[in-house]
Amino acid sequence: MVESSYDVYVESDYQPELYKVKADVQGIDGYKAFQQEHVSQFKQDGFLLIKAALDTQELEDARAGLMRLISGEIPDFRGVQYEKSVRGRLDELSKEERIAAVRKLKFFVGHDDRLTRLSEDPELLRILKAIIGEKPGLFGNQAMVKPARIGREKPWHQDHAYFDLPMGTQIVSAWVSLDAATTENGCMHVIPGSHREGPVVHFQVRDWQLCDDQIKTERVHAVPTDPGDILLWDGLLHHGTPPNRSDRGRRALQLHYW
């Protein structure tokens, strides 16, 4: 049985206007399309979307590996976290309902060979090396799930605020989309160029987050993704995701490199 831990999100003062989109992000067509000019683009914008980075088999392998962990098939994996809304009711849920209530998985690399291989993909590491300037190392990984209808907001934040690393450390994260992520089911939202403004103080409000009144809503871009797309972003980029009240859940892996 996997560990029964729960999300700590506080459902208060959510403001939909924080995610009013000014434009959608366009990406490059696969790993092979990556050129040196895209390093400059990443450093300017703070992110880069790579369309169709995974082929069909890689995508199916990643989904199967994730579901294997979510379903509790690996007894020594203790990284499953559930949505707060099912606290106290977990034992009453069917297996399907329990799976549907999963919010997050932490530190899955090393527990499933398919997911571990994905984190070591040579093409992904090639691009990360070009951006970081040296061979990248994986220091964190998690899977983010937004269940249909109950998936909660992830307020605006910078990833660097969550990591116990010296300021100035170059962090590049990879969001691996396993399902279609849309503006309706809670795709990533970013503020281009915000990483160049430096670290910002975070506060415990709904989550560990940037102050809502400091979000530059006039610059918000949405990043809809298809299954197999990968979004790379800088550890200081301002980003967040609205809640999912649609009938379609979405799953994504996050791999953090330095």
Side-chain angles (χ1 to χ4, degrees):
M1 178 68 69
V2 294
E3 180 180 275
S4 298
S5 65
Y6 297 88
D7 188 29
V8 296
Y9 178 75
V10 177
E11 192 76 48
S12 65
D13 301 323
Y14 166 63
Q15 302 177 46
E17 62 270 20
L18 294 174
Y19 301 93
K20 286 187 176 179
V21 178
K22 303 307 176 185
D24 286 352
V25 167
Q26 304 300 312
I28 64 172
D29 188 16
Y31 286 136
K32 300 300 183 184
F34 181 82
Q35 303 293 331
Q36 187 61 32
E37 67 192 66
H38 296 117
V39 174
S40 299
Q41 180 182 332
F42 180 91
K43 293 187 181 301
Q44 176 69 23
D45 295 338
F47 61 88
L48 178 69
L49 176 60
I50 305 171
K51 302 292 292 181
L54 303 188
D55 63 30
T56 301
Q57 187 60 58
E58 290 169 329
L59 179 60
E60 289 306 314
D61 284 348
R63 287 171 171 167
L66 181 64
M67 293 309 298
R68 182 175 178 231
L69 296 177
I70 287 176
S71 300
E73 297 176 30
I74 308 299
D76 64 343
F77 180 67
R78 297 289 185 269
V80 176
Q81 183 184 91
Y82 295 92
E83 285 282 355
K84 188 177 181 181
S85 60
V86 301
R87 181 188 291 274
R89 301 190 296 112
L90 202 58
D91 292 340
E92 304 169 8
L93 303 180
S94 67
K95 180 179 179 180
E96 291 74 20
E97 290 171 329
R98 184 186 293 251
I99 289 172
V102 170
R103 158 67 184 165
K104 180 189 295 186
L105 278 75
K106 298 181 289 185
F107 302 112
F108 57 79
V109 169
H111 291 278
D112 182 273
D113 289 345
R114 293 161 293 192
L115 298 177
T116 301
R117 284 197 303 272
L118 177 58
S119 73
E120 299 169 347
D121 183 277
E123 283 294 280
L124 174 59
L125 296 183
R126 175 180 67 85
I127 292 174
L128 290 168
K129 182 178 180 180
I131 292 172
I132 296 172
E134 58 187 63
K135 182 179 179 181
L138 180 73
F139 73 90
N141 58 93
Q142 52 195 173
M144 308 302 290
V145 182
K146 272 197 193 293
R149 297 176 293 280
I150 64 170
R152 61 89 154 180
E153 173 203 21
K154 178 63 178 179
W156 289 93
H157 66 283
Q158 297 172 304
D159 283 352
H160 214 310
Y162 287 79
F163 301 143
D164 187 17
L165 294 171
M167 281 300 163
T169 303
Q170 173 72 71
I171 300 169
V172 179
S173 297
W175 160 291
V176 184
S177 188
L178 303 185
D179 302 300
T182 67
T183 53
E184 289 74 31
N185 72 358
C187 71
M188 185 73 78
H189 288 57
V190 300
I191 297 180
S194 54
H195 65 300
R196 291 183 279 109
E197 299 163 15
V200 180
V201 174
H202 286 55
F203 298 89
Q204 185 69 48
V205 187
R206 297 184 299 284
D207 197 341
W208 193 242
Q209 63 176 89
L210 300 171
C211 280
D212 292 329
D213 62 4
Q214 298 300 307
I215 305 306
K216 298 179 174 62
T217 54
E218 72 280 2
R219 293 165 51 190
V220 172
H221 285 53
V223 192
T225 54
D226 295 317
D229 292 353
I230 292 182
L231 173 67
L232 304 178
W233 74 93
D234 186 279
L236 291 177
L237 184 74
H238 298 192
H239 63 287
T241 63
N244 181 10
R245 298 296 179 256
S246 77
D247 293 330
R248 296 179 61 187
R250 66 112 176 107
R251 300 162 295 177
L253 306 178
Q254 287 190 2
L255 304 166
H256 306 288
Y257 298 87
W258 61 344

